[in-house]
Amino acid sequence: MEKENYGTLVKNLRIQNNLTQNQVAEALGVTPGYISNVENNRTAMSLRMLTYYARLVGSSLDSLVGELEPDYSETALDRALYQAIVELDFETKEKLLKTIELWTQR
């Protein structure tokens, strides 16, 4: 994981969710200084903190880690696609399968 991208992503997600560092710190049970250190790449969140942070910003841990770790993004995408497909009705799933089969014909 590129260290520079980690803090930037955490900060951008916080801002996109209209949260202040103080609000994030309170929700995670840490100090605002800790959040500042994360956003400025001076420290990294533990897996436990990342789990809480993902929930706080409305993300799954998979998608958050996928954004942070490019090698993992394919797995996160697979899971997101699976989740979207599971929620479709049977007829739509059949149409989607036919479409995918057309796209993948060589």
Side-chain angles (χ1 to χ4, degrees), residues 33-76:
Y34 173 81
I35 301 304
S36 176
N37 284 336
V38 169
E39 290 183 359
N40 289 295
N41 298 305
R42 291 187 287 266
T43 193
M45 289 182 180
S46 67
L47 179 58
R48 183 172 145 248
M49 280 293 146
L50 275 174
T51 302
Y52 294 148
Y53 189 75
R55 190 176 308 144
L56 179 66
V57 296
S59 177
S60 69
L61 183 59
D62 269 354
S63 64
L64 181 60
V65 172
E67 289 183 55
L68 292 172
E69 191 66 54
D71 292 341
Y72 187 78
S73 62
E74 185 175 328
T75 301

mmCIF file of all heavy atoms in Angstrom, residues 33-76:
data_model
loop_
_atom_site.group_PDB
_atom_site.id
_atom_site.type_symbol
_atom_site.label_atom_id
_atom_site.label_comp_id
_atom_site.label_asym_id
_atom_site.label_seq_id
_atom_site.Cartn_x
_atom_site.Cartn_y
_atom_site.Cartn_z
ATOM 1 N N GLY A 33 -6.208 14.034 17.561
ATOM 2 C CA GLY A 33 -4.800 13.973 17.158
ATOM 3 C C GLY A 33 -4.462 12.674 16.449
ATOM 4 O O GLY A 33 -3.675 12.655 15.500
ATOM 5 N N TYR A 34 -5.063 11.578 16.905
ATOM 6 C CA TYR A 34 -4.854 10.285 16.251
ATOM 7 C C TYR A 34 -5.369 10.340 14.811
ATOM 8 O O TYR A 34 -4.692 9.891 13.880
ATOM 9 C CB TYR A 34 -5.568 9.178 17.037
ATOM 10 C CG TYR A 34 -5.557 7.834 16.355
ATOM 11 C CD1 TYR A 34 -4.445 7.004 16.434
ATOM 12 C CD2 TYR A 34 -6.660 7.402 15.630
ATOM 13 C CE1 TYR A 34 -4.441 5.772 15.794
ATOM 14 C CE2 TYR A 34 -6.669 6.176 14.999
ATOM 15 C CZ TYR A 34 -5.562 5.352 15.077
ATOM 16 O OH TYR A 34 -5.557 4.142 14.444
ATOM 17 N N ILE A 35 -6.568 10.892 14.621
ATOM 18 C CA ILE A 35 -7.146 11.003 13.275
ATOM 19 C C ILE A 35 -6.262 11.887 12.401
ATOM 20 O O ILE A 35 -5.997 11.570 11.244
ATOM 21 C CB ILE A 35 -8.593 11.542 13.327
ATOM 22 C CG1 ILE A 35 -9.488 10.618 14.164
ATOM 23 C CG2 ILE A 35 -9.165 11.727 11.920
ATOM 24 C CD1 ILE A 35 -9.521 9.164 13.709
ATOM 25 N N SER A 36 -5.776 12.975 12.963
ATOM 26 C CA SER A 36 -4.865 13.853 12.227
ATOM 27 C C SER A 36 -3.600 13.092 11.822
ATOM 28 O O SER A 36 -3.132 13.215 10.684
ATOM 29 C CB SER A 36 -4.496 15.066 13.082
ATOM 30 O OG SER A 36 -3.541 15.863 12.413
ATOM 31 N N ASN A 37 -3.068 12.297 12.734
ATOM 32 C CA ASN A 37 -1.860 11.519 12.428
ATOM 33 C C ASN A 37 -2.115 10.510 11.314
ATOM 34 O O ASN A 37 -1.269 10.300 10.450
ATOM 35 C CB ASN A 37 -1.343 10.803 13.675
ATOM 36 C CG ASN A 37 -0.636 11.746 14.623
ATOM 37 O OD1 ASN A 37 -0.142 12.798 14.230
ATOM 38 N ND2 ASN A 37 -0.594 11.369 15.890
ATOM 39 N N VAL A 38 -3.287 9.894 11.317
ATOM 40 C CA VAL A 38 -3.641 8.947 10.255
ATOM 41 C C VAL A 38 -3.726 9.687 8.918
ATOM 42 O O VAL A 38 -3.145 9.261 7.918
ATOM 43 C CB VAL A 38 -4.979 8.230 10.571
ATOM 44 C CG1 VAL A 38 -5.485 7.464 9.355
ATOM 45 C CG2 VAL A 38 -4.825 7.300 11.770
ATOM 46 N N GLU A 39 -4.444 10.798 8.911
ATOM 47 C CA GLU A 39 -4.645 11.547 7.666
ATOM 48 C C GLU A 39 -3.347 12.143 7.127
ATOM 49 O O GLU A 39 -3.231 12.382 5.929
ATOM 50 C CB GLU A 39 -5.683 12.650 7.879
ATOM 51 C CG GLU A 39 -7.084 12.094 8.078
ATOM 52 C CD GLU A 39 -8.138 13.174 8.227
ATOM 53 O OE1 GLU A 39 -7.804 14.387 8.191
ATOM 54 O OE2 GLU A 39 -9.323 12.807 8.384
ATOM 55 N N ASN A 40 -2.380 12.364 8.003
ATOM 56 C CA ASN A 40 -1.098 12.923 7.580
ATOM 57 C C ASN A 40 -0.012 11.856 7.472
ATOM 58 O O ASN A 40 1.179 12.175 7.435
ATOM 59 C CB ASN A 40 -0.680 14.040 8.531
ATOM 60 C CG ASN A 40 -1.548 15.263 8.345
ATOM 61 O OD1 ASN A 40 -1.530 15.883 7.291
ATOM 62 N ND2 ASN A 40 -2.354 15.587 9.339
ATOM 63 N N ASN A 41 -0.436 10.598 7.415
ATOM 64 C CA ASN A 41 0.461 9.469 7.190
ATOM 65 C C ASN A 41 1.539 9.288 8.259
ATOM 66 O O ASN A 41 2.606 8.768 7.978
ATOM 67 C CB ASN A 41 1.105 9.563 5.801
ATOM 68 C CG ASN A 41 0.077 9.505 4.709
ATOM 69 O OD1 ASN A 41 -0.716 8.571 4.646
ATOM 70 N ND2 ASN A 41 0.055 10.511 3.857
ATOM 71 N N ARG A 42 1.229 9.701 9.472
ATOM 72 C CA ARG A 42 2.178 9.496 10.567
ATOM 73 C C ARG A 42 1.898 8.201 11.321
ATOM 74 O O ARG A 42 2.747 7.700 12.041
ATOM 75 C CB ARG A 42 2.157 10.687 11.519
ATOM 76 C CG ARG A 42 2.739 11.959 10.895
ATOM 77 C CD ARG A 42 2.873 13.089 11.906
ATOM 78 N NE ARG A 42 1.609 13.672 12.274
ATOM 79 C CZ ARG A 42 1.064 14.745 11.708
ATOM 80 N NH1 ARG A 42 1.686 15.352 10.718
ATOM 81 N NH2 ARG A 42 -0.099 15.210 12.120
ATOM 82 N N THR A 43 0.698 7.665 11.133
ATOM 83 C CA THR A 43 0.329 6.388 11.744
ATOM 84 C C THR A 43 -0.732 5.731 10.872
ATOM 85 O O THR A 43 -1.370 6.388 10.057
ATOM 86 C CB THR A 43 -0.180 6.566 13.191
ATOM 87 O OG1 THR A 43 -0.241 5.304 13.832
ATOM 88 C CG2 THR A 43 -1.532 7.232 13.235
ATOM 89 N N ALA A 44 -0.909 4.432 11.044
ATOM 90 C CA ALA A 44 -1.925 3.697 10.298
ATOM 91 C C ALA A 44 -2.930 3.116 11.277
ATOM 92 O O ALA A 44 -2.600 2.836 12.430
ATOM 93 C CB ALA A 44 -1.276 2.575 9.490
ATOM 94 N N MET A 45 -4.147 2.962 10.819
ATOM 95 C CA MET A 45 -5.191 2.381 11.658
ATOM 96 C C MET A 45 -4.995 0.871 11.765
ATOM 97 O O MET A 45 -4.590 0.229 10.798
ATOM 98 C CB MET A 45 -6.576 2.639 11.066
ATOM 99 C CG MET A 45 -7.035 4.063 11.162
ATOM 100 S SD MET A 45 -8.719 4.170 10.480
ATOM 101 C CE MET A 45 -9.025 5.909 10.693
ATOM 102 N N SER A 46 -5.342 0.337 12.900
ATOM 103 C CA SER A 46 -5.351 -1.118 13.067
ATOM 104 C C SER A 46 -6.527 -1.682 12.272
ATOM 105 O O SER A 46 -7.426 -0.944 11.851
ATOM 106 C CB SER A 46 -5.509 -1.473 14.544
ATOM 107 O OG SER A 46 -6.801 -1.091 14.998
ATOM 108 N N LEU A 47 -6.539 -2.980 12.103
ATOM 109 C CA LEU A 47 -7.648 -3.621 11.402
ATOM 110 C C LEU A 47 -8.972 -3.333 12.106
ATOM 111 O O LEU A 47 -9.985 -3.042 11.464
ATOM 112 C CB LEU A 47 -7.420 -5.131 11.307
ATOM 113 C CG LEU A 47 -8.509 -5.925 10.611
ATOM 114 C CD1 LEU A 47 -8.730 -5.431 9.185
ATOM 115 C CD2 LEU A 47 -8.167 -7.407 10.611
ATOM 116 N N ARG A 48 -8.943 -3.358 13.420
ATOM 117 C CA ARG A 48 -10.150 -3.062 14.196
ATOM 118 C C ARG A 48 -10.646 -1.642 13.915
ATOM 119 O O ARG A 48 -11.830 -1.411 13.673
ATOM 120 C CB ARG A 48 -9.845 -3.240 15.684
ATOM 121 C CG ARG A 48 -11.039 -3.040 16.568
ATOM 122 C CD ARG A 48 -10.695 -3.422 18.017
ATOM 123 N NE ARG A 48 -11.393 -2.558 18.911
ATOM 124 C CZ ARG A 48 -10.846 -1.647 19.696
ATOM 125 N NH1 ARG A 48 -9.554 -1.515 19.761
ATOM 126 N NH2 ARG A 48 -11.583 -0.891 20.463
ATOM 127 N N MET A 49 -9.723 -0.679 13.922
ATOM 128 C CA MET A 49 -10.099 0.716 13.635
ATOM 129 C C MET A 49 -10.598 0.868 12.208
ATOM 130 O O MET A 49 -11.553 1.593 11.951
ATOM 131 C CB MET A 49 -8.917 1.661 13.858
ATOM 132 C CG MET A 49 -8.656 2.022 15.267
ATOM 133 S SD MET A 49 -10.011 3.016 15.927
ATOM 134 C CE MET A 49 -9.992 2.416 17.583
ATOM 135 N N LEU A 50 -9.929 0.178 11.254
ATOM 136 C CA LEU A 50 -10.381 0.254 9.859
ATOM 137 C C LEU A 50 -11.797 -0.289 9.718
ATOM 138 O O LEU A 50 -12.601 0.247 8.954
ATOM 139 C CB LEU A 50 -9.440 -0.537 8.942
ATOM 140 C CG LEU A 50 -8.207 0.195 8.454
ATOM 141 C CD1 LEU A 50 -7.304 -0.762 7.673
ATOM 142 C CD2 LEU A 50 -8.570 1.394 7.609
ATOM 143 N N THR A 51 -12.108 -1.343 10.466
ATOM 144 C CA THR A 51 -13.454 -1.917 10.432
ATOM 145 C C THR A 51 -14.478 -0.894 10.909
ATOM 146 O O THR A 51 -15.509 -0.676 10.273
ATOM 147 C CB THR A 51 -13.522 -3.185 11.310
ATOM 148 O OG1 THR A 51 -12.561 -4.117 10.828
ATOM 149 C CG2 THR A 51 -14.903 -3.800 11.272
ATOM 150 N N TYR A 52 -14.183 -0.245 12.028
ATOM 151 C CA TYR A 52 -15.086 0.775 12.565
ATOM 152 C C TYR A 52 -15.180 1.966 11.620
ATOM 153 O O TYR A 52 -16.247 2.540 11.412
ATOM 154 C CB TYR A 52 -14.633 1.244 13.945
ATOM 155 C CG TYR A 52 -14.706 0.192 15.021
ATOM 156 C CD1 TYR A 52 -13.788 0.184 16.065
ATOM 157 C CD2 TYR A 52 -15.682 -0.794 15.021
ATOM 158 C CE1 TYR A 52 -13.842 -0.782 17.064
ATOM 159 C CE2 TYR A 52 -15.740 -1.759 16.015
ATOM 160 C CZ TYR A 52 -14.826 -1.745 17.032
ATOM 161 O OH TYR A 52 -14.884 -2.696 18.007
ATOM 162 N N TYR A 53 -14.040 2.360 11.057
ATOM 163 C CA TYR A 53 -14.016 3.504 10.150
ATOM 164 C C TYR A 53 -14.847 3.216 8.901
ATOM 165 O O TYR A 53 -15.615 4.069 8.445
ATOM 166 C CB TYR A 53 -12.573 3.865 9.770
ATOM 167 C CG TYR A 53 -12.482 5.162 9.023
ATOM 168 C CD1 TYR A 53 -12.621 6.374 9.675
ATOM 169 C CD2 TYR A 53 -12.292 5.177 7.643
ATOM 170 C CE1 TYR A 53 -12.561 7.574 8.986
ATOM 171 C CE2 TYR A 53 -12.228 6.370 6.952
ATOM 172 C CZ TYR A 53 -12.363 7.560 7.625
ATOM 173 O OH TYR A 53 -12.304 8.735 6.941
ATOM 174 N N ALA A 54 -14.700 2.018 8.349
ATOM 175 C CA ALA A 54 -15.474 1.644 7.158
ATOM 176 C C ALA A 54 -16.967 1.755 7.442
ATOM 177 O O ALA A 54 -17.725 2.315 6.649
ATOM 178 C CB ALA A 54 -15.111 0.227 6.708
ATOM 179 N N ARG A 55 -17.374 1.244 8.578
ATOM 180 C CA ARG A 55 -18.798 1.314 8.962
ATOM 181 C C ARG A 55 -19.233 2.774 9.103
ATOM 182 O O ARG A 55 -20.307 3.158 8.655
ATOM 183 C CB ARG A 55 -19.017 0.557 10.267
ATOM 184 C CG ARG A 55 -20.484 0.382 10.600
ATOM 185 C CD ARG A 55 -20.705 -0.440 11.843
ATOM 186 N NE ARG A 55 -19.999 -1.704 11.818
ATOM 187 C CZ ARG A 55 -19.439 -2.277 12.872
ATOM 188 N NH1 ARG A 55 -19.516 -1.720 14.056
ATOM 189 N NH2 ARG A 55 -18.807 -3.426 12.766
ATOM 190 N N LEU A 56 -18.388 3.583 9.712
ATOM 191 C CA LEU A 56 -18.707 4.991 9.943
ATOM 192 C C LEU A 56 -18.923 5.753 8.632
ATOM 193 O O LEU A 56 -19.821 6.579 8.530
ATOM 194 C CB LEU A 56 -17.591 5.662 10.760
ATOM 195 C CG LEU A 56 -17.755 7.145 11.064
ATOM 196 C CD1 LEU A 56 -18.941 7.378 11.992
ATOM 197 C CD2 LEU A 56 -16.472 7.699 11.674
ATOM 198 N N VAL A 57 -18.101 5.456 7.622
ATOM 199 C CA VAL A 57 -18.212 6.190 6.358
ATOM 200 C C VAL A 57 -19.083 5.463 5.336
ATOM 201 O O VAL A 57 -19.116 5.825 4.163
ATOM 202 C CB VAL A 57 -16.808 6.506 5.759
ATOM 203 C CG1 VAL A 57 -16.029 7.425 6.670
ATOM 204 C CG2 VAL A 57 -16.037 5.241 5.433
ATOM 205 N N GLY A 58 -19.807 4.429 5.794
ATOM 206 C CA GLY A 58 -20.749 3.737 4.915
ATOM 207 C C GLY A 58 -20.092 2.885 3.855
ATOM 208 O O GLY A 58 -20.593 2.762 2.736
ATOM 209 N N SER A 59 -18.977 2.286 4.192
ATOM 210 C CA SER A 59 -18.235 1.458 3.259
ATOM 211 C C SER A 59 -18.080 0.069 3.857
ATOM 212 O O SER A 59 -18.175 -0.102 5.063
ATOM 213 C CB SER A 59 -16.854 2.101 3.040
ATOM 214 O OG SER A 59 -16.065 1.323 2.193
ATOM 215 N N SER A 60 -17.837 -0.903 3.019
ATOM 216 C CA SER A 60 -17.496 -2.222 3.552
ATOM 217 C C SER A 60 -15.984 -2.243 3.773
ATOM 218 O O SER A 60 -15.238 -1.486 3.138
ATOM 219 C CB SER A 60 -17.892 -3.324 2.572
ATOM 220 O OG SER A 60 -17.063 -3.284 1.426
ATOM 221 N N LEU A 61 -15.549 -3.090 4.649
ATOM 222 C CA LEU A 61 -14.109 -3.219 4.869
ATOM 223 C C LEU A 61 -13.429 -3.667 3.582
ATOM 224 O O LEU A 61 -12.356 -3.170 3.240
ATOM 225 C CB LEU A 61 -13.817 -4.198 6.008
ATOM 226 C CG LEU A 61 -12.346 -4.361 6.382
ATOM 227 C CD1 LEU A 61 -11.730 -3.029 6.795
ATOM 228 C CD2 LEU A 61 -12.190 -5.384 7.485
ATOM 229 N N ASP A 62 -14.073 -4.561 2.840
ATOM 230 C CA ASP A 62 -13.522 -5.012 1.563
ATOM 231 C C ASP A 62 -13.265 -3.855 0.612
ATOM 232 O O ASP A 62 -12.204 -3.750 0.019
ATOM 233 C CB ASP A 62 -14.487 -5.984 0.872
ATOM 234 C CG ASP A 62 -14.237 -7.419 1.237
ATOM 235 O OD1 ASP A 62 -13.252 -7.703 1.931
ATOM 236 O OD2 ASP A 62 -15.043 -8.263 0.822
ATOM 237 N N SER A 63 -14.262 -2.999 0.443
ATOM 238 C CA SER A 63 -14.078 -1.904 -0.511
ATOM 239 C C SER A 63 -13.051 -0.901 -0.010
ATOM 240 O O SER A 63 -12.273 -0.361 -0.794
ATOM 241 C CB SER A 63 -15.400 -1.217 -0.837
ATOM 242 O OG SER A 63 -15.944 -0.601 0.301
ATOM 243 N N LEU A 64 -13.023 -0.668 1.292
ATOM 244 C CA LEU A 64 -12.028 0.249 1.845
ATOM 245 C C LEU A 64 -10.624 -0.309 1.652
ATOM 246 O O LEU A 64 -9.730 0.391 1.164
ATOM 247 C CB LEU A 64 -12.300 0.501 3.332
ATOM 248 C CG LEU A 64 -11.359 1.463 4.049
ATOM 249 C CD1 LEU A 64 -11.392 2.838 3.400
ATOM 250 C CD2 LEU A 64 -11.732 1.568 5.513
ATOM 251 N N VAL A 65 -10.421 -1.563 1.978
ATOM 252 C CA VAL A 65 -9.107 -2.177 1.799
ATOM 253 C C VAL A 65 -8.767 -2.253 0.315
ATOM 254 O O VAL A 65 -7.618 -2.044 -0.078
ATOM 255 C CB VAL A 65 -9.042 -3.572 2.462
ATOM 256 C CG1 VAL A 65 -7.745 -4.294 2.115
ATOM 257 C CG2 VAL A 65 -9.189 -3.447 3.971
ATOM 258 N N GLY A 66 -9.767 -2.511 -0.515
ATOM 259 C CA GLY A 66 -9.536 -2.538 -1.956
ATOM 260 C C GLY A 66 -9.050 -1.205 -2.488
ATOM 261 O O GLY A 66 -8.223 -1.150 -3.397
ATOM 262 N N GLU A 67 -9.546 -0.121 -1.924
ATOM 263 C CA GLU A 67 -9.071 1.203 -2.326
ATOM 264 C C GLU A 67 -7.669 1.474 -1.797
ATOM 265 O O GLU A 67 -6.879 2.153 -2.423
ATOM 266 C CB GLU A 67 -10.028 2.286 -1.834
ATOM 267 C CG GLU A 67 -11.350 2.294 -2.560
ATOM 268 C CD GLU A 67 -12.243 3.427 -2.105
ATOM 269 O OE1 GLU A 67 -11.801 4.590 -2.161
ATOM 270 O OE2 GLU A 67 -13.378 3.144 -1.688
ATOM 271 N N LEU A 68 -7.370 0.944 -0.624
ATOM 272 C CA LEU A 68 -6.062 1.159 -0.019
ATOM 273 C C LEU A 68 -4.995 0.242 -0.595
ATOM 274 O O LEU A 68 -3.837 0.621 -0.699
ATOM 275 C CB LEU A 68 -6.133 0.924 1.500
ATOM 276 C CG LEU A 68 -6.945 1.923 2.302
ATOM 277 C CD1 LEU A 68 -7.079 1.449 3.744
ATOM 278 C CD2 LEU A 68 -6.308 3.307 2.248
ATOM 279 N N GLU A 69 -5.377 -0.959 -0.952
ATOM 280 C CA GLU A 69 -4.432 -1.987 -1.383
ATOM 281 C C GLU A 69 -4.790 -2.452 -2.789
ATOM 282 O O GLU A 69 -5.687 -3.274 -2.959
ATOM 283 C CB GLU A 69 -4.497 -3.155 -0.396
ATOM 284 C CG GLU A 69 -3.422 -4.171 -0.541
ATOM 285 C CD GLU A 69 -2.050 -3.639 -0.210
ATOM 286 O OE1 GLU A 69 -1.849 -3.090 0.882
ATOM 287 O OE2 GLU A 69 -1.168 -3.757 -1.075
ATOM 288 N N PRO A 70 -4.122 -1.916 -3.822
ATOM 289 C CA PRO A 70 -4.478 -2.249 -5.202
ATOM 290 C C PRO A 70 -4.511 -3.753 -5.487
ATOM 291 O O PRO A 70 -5.337 -4.212 -6.263
ATOM 292 C CB PRO A 70 -3.397 -1.556 -6.032
ATOM 293 C CG PRO A 70 -2.920 -0.441 -5.168
ATOM 294 C CD PRO A 70 -3.039 -0.956 -3.749
ATOM 295 N N ASP A 71 -3.633 -4.537 -4.871
ATOM 296 C CA ASP A 71 -3.624 -5.977 -5.113
ATOM 297 C C ASP A 71 -4.894 -6.652 -4.612
ATOM 298 O O ASP A 71 -5.225 -7.747 -5.025
ATOM 299 C CB ASP A 71 -2.417 -6.635 -4.441
ATOM 300 C CG ASP A 71 -1.106 -6.224 -5.087
ATOM 301 O OD1 ASP A 71 -1.141 -5.739 -6.243
ATOM 302 O OD2 ASP A 71 -0.058 -6.371 -4.449
ATOM 303 N N TYR A 72 -5.605 -6.008 -3.707
ATOM 304 C CA TYR A 72 -6.823 -6.576 -3.131
ATOM 305 C C TYR A 72 -8.077 -6.078 -3.839
ATOM 306 O O TYR A 72 -9.136 -6.634 -3.668
ATOM 307 C CB TYR A 72 -6.907 -6.224 -1.641
ATOM 308 C CG TYR A 72 -8.044 -6.901 -0.926
ATOM 309 C CD1 TYR A 72 -7.969 -8.232 -0.545
ATOM 310 C CD2 TYR A 72 -9.216 -6.215 -0.638
ATOM 311 C CE1 TYR A 72 -9.020 -8.861 0.102
ATOM 312 C CE2 TYR A 72 -10.274 -6.833 0.011
ATOM 313 C CZ TYR A 72 -10.165 -8.155 0.383
ATOM 314 O OH TYR A 72 -11.202 -8.764 1.008
ATOM 315 N N SER A 73 -7.945 -5.051 -4.657
ATOM 316 C CA SER A 73 -9.133 -4.418 -5.234
ATOM 317 C C SER A 73 -9.946 -5.370 -6.099
ATOM 318 O O SER A 73 -11.168 -5.262 -6.156
ATOM 319 C CB SER A 73 -8.760 -3.161 -6.005
ATOM 320 O OG SER A 73 -7.903 -3.478 -7.073
ATOM 321 N N GLU A 74 -9.306 -6.320 -6.770
ATOM 322 C CA GLU A 74 -10.060 -7.258 -7.604
ATOM 323 C C GLU A 74 -10.992 -8.107 -6.751
ATOM 324 O O GLU A 74 -12.147 -8.319 -7.096
ATOM 325 C CB GLU A 74 -9.102 -8.154 -8.391
ATOM 326 C CG GLU A 74 -9.822 -9.060 -9.366
ATOM 327 C CD GLU A 74 -8.866 -9.856 -10.232
ATOM 328 O OE1 GLU A 74 -7.777 -9.358 -10.544
ATOM 329 O OE2 GLU A 74 -9.231 -10.985 -10.585
ATOM 330 N N THR A 75 -10.522 -8.578 -5.625
ATOM 331 C CA THR A 75 -11.357 -9.367 -4.717
ATOM 332 C C THR A 75 -12.516 -8.527 -4.196
ATOM 333 O O THR A 75 -13.650 -8.997 -4.119
ATOM 334 C CB THR A 75 -10.511 -9.897 -3.543
ATOM 335 O OG1 THR A 75 -9.458 -10.690 -4.073
ATOM 336 C CG2 THR A 75 -11.331 -10.724 -2.594
ATOM 337 N N ALA A 76 -12.247 -7.286 -3.829
ATOM 338 C CA ALA A 76 -13.297 -6.404 -3.337
ATOM 339 C C ALA A 76 -14.349 -6.164 -4.415
ATOM 340 O O ALA A 76 -15.547 -6.153 -4.135
ATOM 341 C CB ALA A 76 -12.699 -5.078 -2.872
#
